[in-house]
Amino acid sequence: FLRPLQLSFQSERFMLPIQLGMLNASGPQDLFIFTLTRKGRVRVANYPTLNIPADLTLPYFVREDFGAFYKAMFDRMVKDNGRRTAYLEYAWDMNWCDPCAADPLSVSELRALGADWISEEQATTDKGQVFVTRLHIRYDKESFPEDLELEVTNERTNFQGRFITTSPAAPECISPEDKAYIAELKARRQTQASNLARTTNWSIMSILEKMRMMR
């Protein structure tokens, strides 16, 4: 893993040179771009920008190794859409938090990251119109022949990849009379397994078997 690079743009041309990073590359590379802007989301202007999946219900066992799931999901997206695509993983207005994946960045943290338009005296509830965007790109020499042209938009809608797992009631708490719950649980398990298989290309039979083993 390389140490992150911090860049500040004063010119109208908002771009990121990636060609130099491919000179010694032996294969595809993953690039994460975090931007802080005053207006709103950032997108890649010269390549498609897609949102990652969100609000999917998944089997409870995904909690045990979320990293493996996320890697498989991203691999599947790249395979389906090709490597000439940027993916939006996170977009958030630092003035707004309901709900939040984590506490909003403080004024001092935002200034350290380059948002020098915020004064030190500003209250933590007023971040001076800072919008954070996280983009994920997997690229190689063939897939991204041009440097990334970035564009700041007016879109300030919050977005995050969110994945939901629910734990079923303990078997001893379920009676044969709970037919409605049993039917709902069966349908829920099928939906969770289908979602996981569709987003990762994992075998649905192996997913269902693992779900049965974890009852």
Side-chain angles (χ1 to χ4, degrees):
F1 291 86
L2 303 178
R3 293 182 61 185
L5 300 175
Q6 182 173 316
L7 302 95
S8 178
F9 291 85
Q10 301 296 329
S11 69
E12 290 297 320
R13 192 180 182 203
F14 186 20
M15 57 83 66
L16 188 64
I18 61 173
Q19 300 304 308
L20 288 175
M22 291 188 277
L23 292 178
N24 297 320
S26 58
Q29 301 180 86
D30 279 63
L31 172 67
F32 298 92
I33 304 172
F34 296 82
T35 63
L36 279 69
T37 66
R38 304 187 198 205
K39 289 174 61 178
R41 290 188 194 181
V42 169
R43 72 177 189 91
V44 177
N46 56 335
Y47 294 102
T49 302
L50 301 178
N51 293 1
I52 64 168
D55 297 326
L56 287 180
T57 57
L58 300 173
Y60 192 76
F61 71 78
V62 170
R63 297 168 64 100
E64 294 184 343
D65 193 355
F66 184 80
F69 154 72
Y70 197 88
K71 182 179 183 301
M73 182 195 73
F74 194 78
D75 290 345
R76 175 66 185 268
M77 286 192 298
V78 171
K79 182 178 179 181
D80 288 348
N81 300 299
R83 289 203 183 106
R84 303 189 65 159
T85 305
Y87 297 94
L88 177 70
E89 293 184 324
Y90 183 81
W92 212 267
D93 186 337
M94 288 290 105
N95 278 319
W96 192 84
C97 184
D98 183 22
C100 285
D103 292 335
L105 297 174
S106 67
V107 169
S108 60
E109 288 172 326
L110 290 169
R111 284 182 58 84
L113 290 169
D116 54 9
W117 60 87
I118 310 173
S119 69
E120 292 282 9
E121 292 73 29
Q122 282 181 291
T124 55
T125 55
D126 178 11
K127 303 300 191 326
Q129 299 297 311
V130 179
F131 198 93
V132 175
T133 304
R134 168 178 162 134
L135 298 169
H136 186 176
I137 296 169
R138 180 170 296 165
Y139 68 98
D140 55 26
K141 296 178 182 178
E142 289 73 31
S143 59
F144 278 80
E146 301 175 2
D147 289 328
L148 301 180
E149 296 286 345
L150 304 174
E151 179 184 13
V152 182
T153 72
N154 292 316
E155 177 60 69
R156 297 187 69 88
T157 304
N158 292 331
F159 171 82
Q160 60 182 334
R162 191 171 69 129
F163 306 95
I164 305 158
T165 63
T166 56
S167 176
E172 60 270 19
C173 298
I174 305 174
S175 70
E177 287 73 32
D178 295 325
K179 295 181 180 180
Y181 175 76
I182 294 172
E184 187 273 333
L185 182 60
K186 183 178 180 181
R188 186 203 311 171
R189 286 178 179 274
Q190 188 62 47
T191 298
Q192 293 169 344
S194 297
N195 286 342
L196 185 56
R198 174 170 50 84
T199 54
T200 62
N201 208 28
W202 291 348
S203 163
I204 193 167
M205 297 306 297
S206 62
I207 292 171
L208 290 170
E209 179 59 27
K210 191 165 186 177
M211 293 174 73
R212 279 192 290 270
M213 291 171 60
M214 295 194 67
R215 285 182 182 177

